[in-house]
Amino acid sequence: MAAAGSAIGLGNIWRFPYICGKYGGGAAIILYLAFVFLIGMTLLLSELVIGRRTGSTPMKAFEIMRPQRKGWRYVGLLGLITSFLILAIYLVISGWTLNYFWESVTGTLSSIADGDFANHFATFAASPLMPVVCLVVFMVLTLVIILGGVQNGIEKVSKILMPILLVLVLLLCVRSLTLPGASKGLYYLFHPDFSLLTWEGVLAILGQALFSLSVGMGVMIVYGSYIPKGDGLFKSAMWITVCDTAIAILAGVAIFPAVFAFDQSPDGGPGLVFNVLPVVFNSMGNVGSIVFGGAFFLLLAVAALTSAISLLEALTAWGADYGKSRKRSAIILSIVLALVAVVASFSFDGGILNDNKLAGMSFFDWLDKLTGSYLPPICALLTIIFFGWFMKKDDIHDELSNHGVLKISWFKVFYHILVRFVAPAALIVSLVAGIFT
Ligand code: TRP
């Protein structure tokens, strides 16, 4: 449940729909499903095995499995750097959700006309003050929870809130599907338009599959180390993957019919959720917009918070490994993270730093690309090569079968085909094509 909580986050609701919108609807979904179940889940299972086998954090786990070749621990380090950058961009988006929560409950959003939400979002995200205030509040919340050591509390809270989020998303789907013209949205979401699916898109979709499952940065190694010895790892991995994918697709079903019913642009980029959903809430009347809108953005903020906590926790534990006290390590990291996030926020479309571009992309776009497309696949590739070619096969079999207790007839296919060939090949092809074409 905790790992599913980490996996389910802004990635499912904020990023997945806009990636589908950008790269050909059904074409993107088909590819996403293939990536998530063949490559994402293979990686998830590998990270869980490494974690439970070593009972350790990423950098140390690689050392324990391969003590004579210390270089492998840098894969763990790369994962930590990836986590840091993910958290930086996460802070910006999480801040937006806080703002939208606030504007929902105070009725600001319900006073905006349907056609004006895109403008409202653009003005808000580009302004120098509010987004920064929100992201700092969010960083402080995350830090306070880490310092208070109440992760367990938050874990329990999120177990209750995650199902509520699911119910709300389902309700939104119903509302969205009963809007006039909903079928157009469904058509757009599920009808495969392969002409929009570029190589860049393939890499973005692969990156999204990894990002969404929280793999390719070693975080699931940590979660693996918490899984009780008697549990079947395959079952856990399947459960996480199915839940995560279901929420992502439902988010798409909630959003696209509304996009078309209210004449919005389906490839609206990172602002999609914020432009479209308030329109749906407003169509539920004043009370509906305050109650549903408020609840939705609050839960989105909570989903983001639980993910942010686990990211900061991983980074803090690593800082503490290097002799800093947990407290100091958490505070220093938070300050640096907030600063990076502020720069990211300023560089978003229309912001004061948006004109400073590197290779045509702003700092925000770079962060989005690095954390969404590049770093997780690179880290995943190194991890899967380590797992498939450098770890002992017997160790892996032993861990997956719980020392021979579970029958794992799928092991041969998993290890000899998926781990050793399909996953590395798909990662290499997507990376090379995505970067160089
Ligand atoms: N999977 C999360 C999401 O979909 C994002 C994420 C990536 C994450 N890596 C993580 C969350 C590590 C927690 C820990 O939003």
Side-chain angles (χ1 to χ4, degrees), residues 70-138:
K70 292 214 181 310
W72 280 107
R73 65 190 167 149
Y74 292 109
V75 179
L77 181 64
L78 183 63
L80 285 161
I81 294 172
T82 308
S83 301
F84 180 93
L85 296 177
I86 286 183
L87 187 48
I89 195 161
Y90 229 76
L91 288 175
V92 180
I93 321 298
S94 307
W96 296 349
T97 66
L98 280 187
N99 178 72
Y100 270 70
F101 163 66
W102 180 247
E103 291 190 338
S104 296
V105 291
T106 53
T108 313
L109 287 184
S110 55
S111 66
I112 295 175
D114 286 352
D116 291 342
F117 279 105
N119 252 336
H120 178 73
F121 172 76
T123 317
F124 158 71
S127 79
L129 188 61
M130 265 320 269
V132 170
V133 172
C134 292
L135 81 84
V136 169
V137 169
F138 196 86

Side-chain angles (χ1 to χ4, degrees), residues 67-222:
Q68 61 286 55
R69 300 209 189 175
K70 292 214 181 310
W72 280 107
R73 65 190 167 149
Y74 292 109
V75 179
L77 181 64
L78 183 63
L80 285 161
I81 294 172
T82 308
S83 301
F84 180 93
L85 296 177
I86 286 183
L87 187 48
I89 195 161
Y90 229 76
L91 288 175
V92 180
I93 321 298
S94 307
W96 296 349
T97 66
L98 280 187
N99 178 72
Y100 270 70
F101 163 66
W102 180 247
E103 291 190 338
S104 296
V105 291
T106 53
T108 313
L109 287 184
S110 55
S111 66
I112 295 175
D114 286 352
D116 291 342
F117 279 105
N119 252 336
H120 178 73
F121 172 76
T123 317
F124 158 71
S127 79
L129 188 61
M130 265 320 269
V132 170
V133 172
C134 292
L135 81 84
V136 169
V137 169
F138 196 86
M139 183 74 260
V140 171
L141 272 176
T142 311
L143 177 63
V144 166
I145 291 170
I146 291 280
L147 289 183
V150 286
Q151 290 138 270
N152 287 330
I154 253 293
E155 219 58 274
K156 289 198 188 96
V157 173
S158 64
K159 267 188 209 169
I160 303 168
L161 291 178
M162 286 300 164
I164 302 183
L165 181 69
L166 174 65
V167 172
L168 264 185
V169 171
L170 282 173
L171 278 177
L172 273 181
C173 288
V174 173
R175 170 72 271 217
S176 204
L177 289 173
T178 50
L179 289 168
S183 57
K184 250 197 192 158
L186 286 184
Y187 181 80
Y188 183 87
L189 177 62
F190 292 114
H191 170 80
D193 181 353
F194 283 95
S195 67
L196 289 176
L197 187 57
T198 55
W199 276 111
E200 183 201 330
V202 172
L203 183 58
I205 292 163
L206 172 67
Q208 172 62 17
L210 302 179
F211 182 92
S212 191
L213 289 181
S214 307
V215 296
M217 58 215 71
V219 172
M220 284 297 168
I221 293 182
V222 180

